[in-house]
Amino acid sequence: MSSIDNIKRRAEANAKANGIFLCPDLDFLQNLLEGLKENEERYGYGSCPCRLASGNFEWDRDIICPCDYRDPDVEKFGQCFCALYVSKDVYKGVKSMEPIPERRPQEKVDRALGKTPTQPEPLTETPDASNTNRKLFYCKVCGYIAFREEAPQKCPICQAKQEMFG
Ligand code: SF4
């Protein structure tokens, strides 16, 4: 397992390679590095220190540090979700660190929390086959079926777009 120094060196090298910086608040940085070390020991991989991991590598792959969301967050907000990685402006104190919105999709957060996926809304009426304006649409991605006049804008189960309904 890596020592805090090794984890820090790795993070510094990654920041340098990407033209960004590590958190300028040294106490805060230390806490994040300790969190990464703990996660590495607990799961066998360094998942994000400020998010709950599931312990399933495949499910947590997107939040192994540096996570899939770091670059767009540093680009847009000047910092990653935890503020381990920051932009030059934040590093220099031109811009302050502050809480930013979670970019990770909700279904992945729910899965890590052990919640079941969202279920489709129960039908409030019996489908009336005699109503010729309505048709059956099915999601080609997950198989969700809707009986209505037009395909749903978005699948309530897998979030696939309207064009994925046939
Ligand atoms: S939010 Fe920051 S600390 Fe967390 S995994 Fe992403 S890059 Fe690492």
Side-chain angles (χ1 to χ4, degrees):
M1 286 295 158
S2 312
S3 66
I4 297 261
D5 283 347
N6 278 344
I7 293 173
K8 187 175 180 191
R9 267 195 290 276
R10 255 186 354 235
E12 280 170 338
N14 190 289
K16 194 170 176 195
N18 286 279
I20 56 179
F21 298 83
L22 294 189
C23 178
D25 179 329
L26 296 184
D27 289 339
F28 195 67
L29 174 62
Q30 183 67 18
N31 284 337
L32 291 170
L33 295 171
E34 283 170 11
L36 271 175
K37 182 173 187 294
E38 263 179 46
N39 285 349
E40 207 173 293
E41 287 167 359
R42 184 181 300 146
Y43 304 119
Y45 46 87
S47 63
C48 183
C50 54
R51 292 180 171 111
L52 187 67
S54 68
N56 177 320
F57 176 79
E58 285 304 322
W59 292 1
D60 295 338
R61 195 189 278 270
D62 62 316
I63 55 164
I64 293 176
C65 191
C67 62
D68 291 357
Y69 315 105
R70 178 194 69 177
D71 293 345
D73 278 343
V74 172
E75 174 78 29
K76 183 167 182 184
F77 301 108
Q79 62 179 82
C80 68
F81 189 59
C82 302
L84 172 61
Y85 290 97
V86 300
S87 66
K88 187 175 182 181
D89 279 355
V90 170
Y91 184 72
K92 297 275 182 199
V94 176
K95 185 178 184 314
S96 54
M97 292 192 294
E98 51 195 43
I100 66 168
E102 171 62 291
R103 191 182 286 273
R104 191 180 197 210
Q106 187 60 44
E107 64 266 23
K108 293 192 174 189
V109 175
D110 287 347
R111 193 164 55 180
L113 293 172
K115 292 187 186 168
T116 51
T118 317
Q119 295 300 311
E121 301 240 327
L123 286 173
T124 52
E125 56 183 302
T126 309
D128 178 2
S130 67
N131 182 340
T132 50
N133 291 330
R134 294 194 194 179
K135 291 192 294 182
L136 276 176
F137 293 94
Y138 74 97
C139 174
K140 294 175 190 166
V141 178
C142 72
Y144 170 70
I145 292 176
F147 183 69
R148 52 175 73 183
E149 291 180 6
E150 61 176 30
Q153 291 297 316
K154 201 199 265 189
C155 175
I157 302 300
C158 70
Q159 312 298 316
K161 292 183 183 163
Q162 190 175 38
E163 42 278 26
M164 296 312 291
F165 277 85

Short mmCIF file of all heavy atoms in Angstrom, two decimals, residues 7-52:
data_model
loop_
_atom_site.label_atom_id
_atom_site.label_comp_id
_atom_site.label_asym_id
_atom_site.label_seq_id
_atom_site.Cartn_x
_atom_site.Cartn_y
_atom_site.Cartn_z
N ILE A 7 1.36 8.93 -2.33
CA ILE A 7 0.09 9.38 -2.91
C ILE A 7 0.20 10.85 -3.30
O ILE A 7 -0.24 11.27 -4.37
CB ILE A 7 -1.07 9.15 -1.91
CG1 ILE A 7 -1.29 7.64 -1.72
CG2 ILE A 7 -2.35 9.82 -2.38
CD1 ILE A 7 -2.29 7.27 -0.65
N LYS A 8 0.84 11.62 -2.44
CA LYS A 8 1.01 13.05 -2.74
C LYS A 8 1.89 13.24 -3.98
O LYS A 8 1.57 14.04 -4.87
CB LYS A 8 1.62 13.77 -1.54
CG LYS A 8 1.68 15.27 -1.73
CD LYS A 8 2.17 15.96 -0.49
CE LYS A 8 2.20 17.46 -0.70
NZ LYS A 8 2.91 18.15 0.36
N ARG A 9 2.96 12.47 -4.05
CA ARG A 9 3.85 12.59 -5.22
C ARG A 9 3.11 12.26 -6.52
O ARG A 9 3.25 12.93 -7.52
CB ARG A 9 5.07 11.67 -5.06
CG ARG A 9 6.28 12.37 -4.42
CD ARG A 9 7.57 11.58 -4.61
NE ARG A 9 7.56 10.35 -3.83
CZ ARG A 9 7.91 10.29 -2.54
NH1 ARG A 9 8.31 11.37 -1.91
NH2 ARG A 9 7.88 9.15 -1.89
N ARG A 10 2.31 11.21 -6.44
CA ARG A 10 1.52 10.82 -7.62
C ARG A 10 0.55 11.93 -8.02
O ARG A 10 0.41 12.27 -9.20
CB ARG A 10 0.70 9.56 -7.28
CG ARG A 10 1.27 8.32 -7.91
CD ARG A 10 0.44 7.08 -7.74
NE ARG A 10 -0.74 7.09 -6.92
CZ ARG A 10 -0.94 6.23 -5.90
NH1 ARG A 10 -0.02 5.34 -5.58
NH2 ARG A 10 -2.05 6.25 -5.22
N ALA A 11 -0.10 12.49 -7.03
CA ALA A 11 -1.08 13.55 -7.31
C ALA A 11 -0.37 14.79 -7.87
O ALA A 11 -0.86 15.42 -8.81
CB ALA A 11 -1.85 13.90 -6.04
N GLU A 12 0.79 15.11 -7.30
CA GLU A 12 1.54 16.27 -7.81
C GLU A 12 1.96 16.06 -9.26
O GLU A 12 1.84 16.97 -10.09
CB GLU A 12 2.80 16.51 -6.95
CG GLU A 12 2.51 17.22 -5.65
CD GLU A 12 3.70 17.24 -4.71
OE1 GLU A 12 4.60 16.38 -4.83
OE2 GLU A 12 3.71 18.11 -3.82
N ALA A 13 2.43 14.85 -9.56
CA ALA A 13 2.86 14.56 -10.93
C ALA A 13 1.67 14.65 -11.88
O ALA A 13 1.78 15.19 -12.99
CB ALA A 13 3.49 13.17 -10.99
N ASN A 14 0.52 14.14 -11.44
CA ASN A 14 -0.67 14.18 -12.29
C ASN A 14 -1.12 15.62 -12.51
O ASN A 14 -1.49 16.01 -13.62
CB ASN A 14 -1.79 13.36 -11.64
CG ASN A 14 -2.94 13.16 -12.58
OD1 ASN A 14 -3.65 14.10 -12.86
ND2 ASN A 14 -3.11 11.95 -13.09
N ALA A 15 -1.09 16.43 -11.45
CA ALA A 15 -1.48 17.83 -11.57
C ALA A 15 -0.56 18.55 -12.55
O ALA A 15 -1.02 19.26 -13.46
CB ALA A 15 -1.44 18.50 -10.20
N LYS A 16 0.73 18.32 -12.38
CA LYS A 16 1.71 18.98 -13.25
C LYS A 16 1.48 18.60 -14.71
O LYS A 16 1.49 19.45 -15.61
CB LYS A 16 3.12 18.58 -12.80
CG LYS A 16 4.21 19.45 -13.38
CD LYS A 16 5.54 19.17 -12.73
CE LYS A 16 6.61 20.01 -13.42
NZ LYS A 16 7.94 19.57 -13.13
N ALA A 17 1.26 17.31 -14.94
CA ALA A 17 1.05 16.83 -16.32
C ALA A 17 -0.20 17.44 -16.94
O ALA A 17 -0.32 17.50 -18.16
CB ALA A 17 0.95 15.31 -16.32
N ASN A 18 -1.14 17.86 -16.10
CA ASN A 18 -2.40 18.40 -16.62
C ASN A 18 -2.52 19.91 -16.48
O ASN A 18 -3.58 20.48 -16.71
CB ASN A 18 -3.58 17.71 -15.91
CG ASN A 18 -3.77 16.29 -16.39
OD1 ASN A 18 -4.36 16.06 -17.44
ND2 ASN A 18 -3.22 15.33 -15.65
N GLY A 19 -1.42 20.55 -16.08
CA GLY A 19 -1.41 22.01 -15.98
C GLY A 19 -2.30 22.55 -14.87
O GLY A 19 -2.81 23.68 -14.96
N ILE A 20 -2.51 21.75 -13.82
CA ILE A 20 -3.32 22.22 -12.69
C ILE A 20 -2.51 22.05 -11.40
O ILE A 20 -1.33 21.70 -11.46
CB ILE A 20 -4.69 21.49 -12.61
CG1 ILE A 20 -4.50 19.98 -12.54
CG2 ILE A 20 -5.55 21.87 -13.81
CD1 ILE A 20 -5.82 19.20 -12.44
N PHE A 21 -3.13 22.28 -10.24
CA PHE A 21 -2.38 22.33 -8.98
C PHE A 21 -3.11 21.54 -7.90
O PHE A 21 -4.27 21.21 -8.04
CB PHE A 21 -2.24 23.79 -8.54
CG PHE A 21 -1.48 24.62 -9.53
CD1 PHE A 21 -2.14 25.16 -10.64
CD2 PHE A 21 -0.11 24.83 -9.39
CE1 PHE A 21 -1.44 25.91 -11.58
CE2 PHE A 21 0.59 25.58 -10.33
CZ PHE A 21 -0.08 26.12 -11.44
N LEU A 22 -2.37 21.28 -6.81
CA LEU A 22 -3.02 20.66 -5.65
C LEU A 22 -3.54 21.76 -4.73
O LEU A 22 -3.07 22.90 -4.76
CB LEU A 22 -2.04 19.76 -4.89
CG LEU A 22 -1.54 18.51 -5.63
CD1 LEU A 22 -0.76 17.61 -4.67
CD2 LEU A 22 -2.69 17.74 -6.26
N CYS A 23 -4.50 21.39 -3.91
CA CYS A 23 -5.15 22.33 -2.99
C CYS A 23 -4.10 23.14 -2.21
O CYS A 23 -3.17 22.57 -1.62
CB CYS A 23 -5.99 21.52 -2.02
SG CYS A 23 -6.80 22.52 -0.79
N PRO A 24 -4.24 24.47 -2.20
CA PRO A 24 -3.24 25.30 -1.50
C PRO A 24 -3.38 25.28 0.02
O PRO A 24 -2.45 25.67 0.72
CB PRO A 24 -3.52 26.70 -2.05
CG PRO A 24 -4.95 26.68 -2.49
CD PRO A 24 -5.26 25.27 -2.90
N ASP A 25 -4.51 24.81 0.53
CA ASP A 25 -4.71 24.74 1.98
C ASP A 25 -4.08 23.42 2.45
O ASP A 25 -4.63 22.33 2.22
CB ASP A 25 -6.21 24.77 2.28
CG ASP A 25 -6.52 24.68 3.78
OD1 ASP A 25 -5.74 24.04 4.51
OD2 ASP A 25 -7.54 25.25 4.21
N LEU A 26 -2.92 23.51 3.10
CA LEU A 26 -2.14 22.31 3.38
C LEU A 26 -2.81 21.34 4.36
O LEU A 26 -2.68 20.12 4.24
CB LEU A 26 -0.75 22.69 3.87
CG LEU A 26 0.10 23.44 2.82
CD1 LEU A 26 1.51 23.70 3.32
CD2 LEU A 26 0.13 22.70 1.48
N ASP A 27 -3.57 21.88 5.34
CA ASP A 27 -4.29 20.98 6.26
C ASP A 27 -5.39 20.22 5.52
O ASP A 27 -5.57 19.02 5.72
CB ASP A 27 -4.92 21.78 7.42
CG ASP A 27 -3.86 22.29 8.37
OD1 ASP A 27 -2.75 21.72 8.39
OD2 ASP A 27 -4.13 23.28 9.09
N PHE A 28 -6.09 20.97 4.70
CA PHE A 28 -7.17 20.36 3.92
C PHE A 28 -6.60 19.31 2.97
O PHE A 28 -7.14 18.21 2.83
CB PHE A 28 -7.90 21.48 3.15
CG PHE A 28 -9.24 21.07 2.60
CD1 PHE A 28 -10.30 20.77 3.44
CD2 PHE A 28 -9.44 20.99 1.22
CE1 PHE A 28 -11.53 20.39 2.92
CE2 PHE A 28 -10.66 20.61 0.70
CZ PHE A 28 -11.72 20.31 1.54
N LEU A 29 -5.49 19.66 2.34
CA LEU A 29 -4.83 18.73 1.42
C LEU A 29 -4.44 17.45 2.15
O LEU A 29 -4.67 16.34 1.67
CB LEU A 29 -3.59 19.40 0.82
CG LEU A 29 -2.72 18.52 -0.07
CD1 LEU A 29 -3.48 18.02 -1.29
CD2 LEU A 29 -1.46 19.28 -0.52
N GLN A 30 -3.88 17.61 3.34
CA GLN A 30 -3.45 16.45 4.12
C GLN A 30 -4.64 15.52 4.42
O GLN A 30 -4.54 14.31 4.30
CB GLN A 30 -2.80 16.94 5.43
CG GLN A 30 -2.25 15.84 6.31
CD GLN A 30 -1.05 15.11 5.71
OE1 GLN A 30 -0.41 15.60 4.78
NE2 GLN A 30 -0.76 13.91 6.21
N ASN A 31 -5.79 16.14 4.79
CA ASN A 31 -6.99 15.33 5.07
C ASN A 31 -7.42 14.54 3.84
O ASN A 31 -7.81 13.37 3.95
CB ASN A 31 -8.15 16.23 5.50
CG ASN A 31 -7.98 16.71 6.92
OD1 ASN A 31 -7.28 16.08 7.71
ND2 ASN A 31 -8.59 17.83 7.25
N LEU A 32 -7.38 15.19 2.69
CA LEU A 32 -7.79 14.50 1.46
C LEU A 32 -6.84 13.35 1.13
O LEU A 32 -7.27 12.26 0.75
CB LEU A 32 -7.85 15.49 0.29
CG LEU A 32 -8.97 16.53 0.37
CD1 LEU A 32 -8.79 17.60 -0.71
CD2 LEU A 32 -10.34 15.87 0.23
N LEU A 33 -5.56 13.58 1.30
CA LEU A 33 -4.57 12.53 1.02
C LEU A 33 -4.76 11.35 1.98
O LEU A 33 -4.66 10.19 1.59
CB LEU A 33 -3.15 13.09 1.12
CG LEU A 33 -2.79 14.15 0.07
CD1 LEU A 33 -1.43 14.79 0.39
CD2 LEU A 33 -2.78 13.57 -1.35
N GLU A 34 -5.05 11.67 3.24
CA GLU A 34 -5.31 10.60 4.21
C GLU A 34 -6.57 9.82 3.83
O GLU A 34 -6.62 8.59 3.95
CB GLU A 34 -5.45 11.16 5.63
CG GLU A 34 -4.10 11.52 6.22
CD GLU A 34 -4.18 12.30 7.52
OE1 GLU A 34 -5.28 12.41 8.10
OE2 GLU A 34 -3.13 12.83 7.95
N GLY A 35 -7.58 10.53 3.33
CA GLY A 35 -8.81 9.87 2.87
C GLY A 35 -8.52 8.95 1.69
O GLY A 35 -9.05 7.83 1.63
N LEU A 36 -7.69 9.40 0.79
CA LEU A 36 -7.32 8.55 -0.36
C LEU A 36 -6.59 7.30 0.11
O LEU A 36 -6.85 6.20 -0.38
CB LEU A 36 -6.41 9.35 -1.31
CG LEU A 36 -7.09 10.18 -2.39
CD1 LEU A 36 -6.06 10.99 -3.16
CD2 LEU A 36 -7.87 9.28 -3.34
N LYS A 37 -5.71 7.49 1.07
CA LYS A 37 -4.94 6.35 1.59
C LYS A 37 -5.89 5.34 2.26
O LYS A 37 -5.78 4.14 2.04
CB LYS A 37 -3.88 6.84 2.58
CG LYS A 37 -3.00 5.74 3.13
CD LYS A 37 -1.86 6.33 3.96
CE LYS A 37 -0.86 5.27 4.38
NZ LYS A 37 -1.39 4.30 5.30
N GLU A 38 -6.80 5.87 3.06
CA GLU A 38 -7.77 4.99 3.73
C GLU A 38 -8.59 4.19 2.72
O GLU A 38 -8.80 2.99 2.88
CB GLU A 38 -8.76 5.84 4.55
CG GLU A 38 -8.38 5.96 6.00
CD GLU A 38 -9.39 6.83 6.74
OE1 GLU A 38 -10.61 6.66 6.54
OE2 GLU A 38 -8.91 7.70 7.46
N ASN A 39 -9.03 4.88 1.66
CA ASN A 39 -9.84 4.19 0.64
C ASN A 39 -9.00 3.14 -0.09
O ASN A 39 -9.50 2.06 -0.41
CB ASN A 39 -10.44 5.19 -0.35
CG ASN A 39 -11.60 5.94 0.28
OD1 ASN A 39 -12.07 5.58 1.34
ND2 ASN A 39 -12.05 6.99 -0.39
N GLU A 40 -7.75 3.47 -0.33
CA GLU A 40 -6.87 2.51 -1.00
C GLU A 40 -6.73 1.24 -0.14
O GLU A 40 -6.76 0.13 -0.64
CB GLU A 40 -5.52 3.17 -1.24
CG GLU A 40 -4.79 2.59 -2.43
CD GLU A 40 -3.53 3.35 -2.77
OE1 GLU A 40 -3.63 4.52 -3.19
OE2 GLU A 40 -2.44 2.79 -2.57
N GLU A 41 -6.60 1.46 1.17
CA GLU A 41 -6.47 0.31 2.08
C GLU A 41 -7.78 -0.47 2.19
O GLU A 41 -7.80 -1.69 2.25
CB GLU A 41 -6.02 0.79 3.46
CG GLU A 41 -4.57 1.22 3.45
CD GLU A 41 -4.16 1.99 4.70
OE1 GLU A 41 -5.00 2.21 5.58
OE2 GLU A 41 -2.97 2.38 4.76
N ARG A 42 -8.88 0.27 2.20
CA ARG A 42 -10.19 -0.36 2.39
C ARG A 42 -10.66 -1.11 1.14
O ARG A 42 -11.17 -2.21 1.23
CB ARG A 42 -11.22 0.72 2.74
CG ARG A 42 -12.61 0.18 3.05
CD ARG A 42 -13.58 1.30 3.37
NE ARG A 42 -13.17 2.08 4.51
CZ ARG A 42 -13.37 3.40 4.65
NH1 ARG A 42 -13.96 4.09 3.69
NH2 ARG A 42 -12.98 4.03 5.72
N TYR A 43 -10.48 -0.49 -0.02
CA TYR A 43 -11.04 -1.07 -1.25
C TYR A 43 -10.00 -1.67 -2.18
O TYR A 43 -10.35 -2.38 -3.12
CB TYR A 43 -11.82 -0.01 -2.04
CG TYR A 43 -12.92 0.67 -1.25
CD1 TYR A 43 -12.88 2.05 -1.04
CD2 TYR A 43 -13.98 -0.05 -0.74
CE1 TYR A 43 -13.89 2.69 -0.32
CE2 TYR A 43 -14.99 0.58 -0.02
CZ TYR A 43 -14.94 1.95 0.18
OH TYR A 43 -15.93 2.57 0.90
N GLY A 44 -8.75 -1.29 -1.97
CA GLY A 44 -7.72 -1.75 -2.90
C GLY A 44 -7.53 -0.78 -4.05
O GLY A 44 -6.76 -1.05 -4.96
N TYR A 45 -8.24 0.33 -4.04
CA TYR A 45 -8.06 1.39 -5.04
C TYR A 45 -8.43 2.72 -4.38
O TYR A 45 -9.22 2.77 -3.45
CB TYR A 45 -8.91 1.14 -6.31
CG TYR A 45 -10.34 0.76 -6.04
CD1 TYR A 45 -11.33 1.72 -5.86
CD2 TYR A 45 -10.72 -0.59 -5.96
CE1 TYR A 45 -12.65 1.38 -5.61
CE2 TYR A 45 -12.04 -0.94 -5.71
CZ TYR A 45 -13.00 0.04 -5.54
OH TYR A 45 -14.29 -0.32 -5.28
N GLY A 46 -7.80 3.78 -4.88
CA GLY A 46 -7.98 5.10 -4.25
C GLY A 46 -9.21 5.80 -4.75
O GLY A 46 -9.14 6.68 -5.61
N SER A 47 -10.37 5.44 -4.21
CA SER A 47 -11.59 6.13 -4.64
C SER A 47 -11.66 7.50 -3.97
O SER A 47 -10.99 7.76 -2.97
CB SER A 47 -12.83 5.29 -4.32
OG SER A 47 -12.94 5.13 -2.93
N CYS A 48 -12.47 8.33 -4.55
CA CYS A 48 -12.60 9.74 -4.13
C CYS A 48 -12.78 9.86 -2.61
O CYS A 48 -13.66 9.21 -2.05
CB CYS A 48 -13.80 10.34 -4.86
SG CYS A 48 -14.02 12.08 -4.51
N PRO A 49 -12.00 10.71 -1.96
CA PRO A 49 -12.11 10.82 -0.50
C PRO A 49 -13.35 11.57 -0.02
O PRO A 49 -13.63 11.57 1.17
CB PRO A 49 -10.83 11.59 -0.12
CG PRO A 49 -10.44 12.33 -1.35
CD PRO A 49 -10.90 11.51 -2.51
N CYS A 50 -14.10 12.20 -0.92
CA CYS A 50 -15.29 12.91 -0.43
C CYS A 50 -16.58 12.34 -1.03
O CYS A 50 -17.60 13.00 -1.04
CB CYS A 50 -15.18 14.41 -0.67
SG CYS A 50 -14.84 14.85 -2.35
N ARG A 51 -16.49 11.11 -1.53
CA ARG A 51 -17.70 10.44 -2.03
C ARG A 51 -17.74 9.03 -1.44
O ARG A 51 -16.70 8.45 -1.16
CB ARG A 51 -17.68 10.30 -3.55
CG ARG A 51 -17.80 11.60 -4.32
CD ARG A 51 -17.76 11.29 -5.80
NE ARG A 51 -18.07 12.40 -6.64
CZ ARG A 51 -17.18 13.00 -7.44
NH1 ARG A 51 -15.91 12.62 -7.45
NH2 ARG A 51 -17.56 13.98 -8.22
N LEU A 52 -18.97 8.51 -1.30
CA LEU A 52 -19.11 7.15 -0.79
C LEU A 52 -18.92 6.17 -1.94
O LEU A 52 -19.60 6.27 -2.95
CB LEU A 52 -20.50 6.98 -0.18
CG LEU A 52 -20.71 5.66 0.54
CD1 LEU A 52 -19.83 5.59 1.79
CD2 LEU A 52 -22.17 5.50 0.93
#
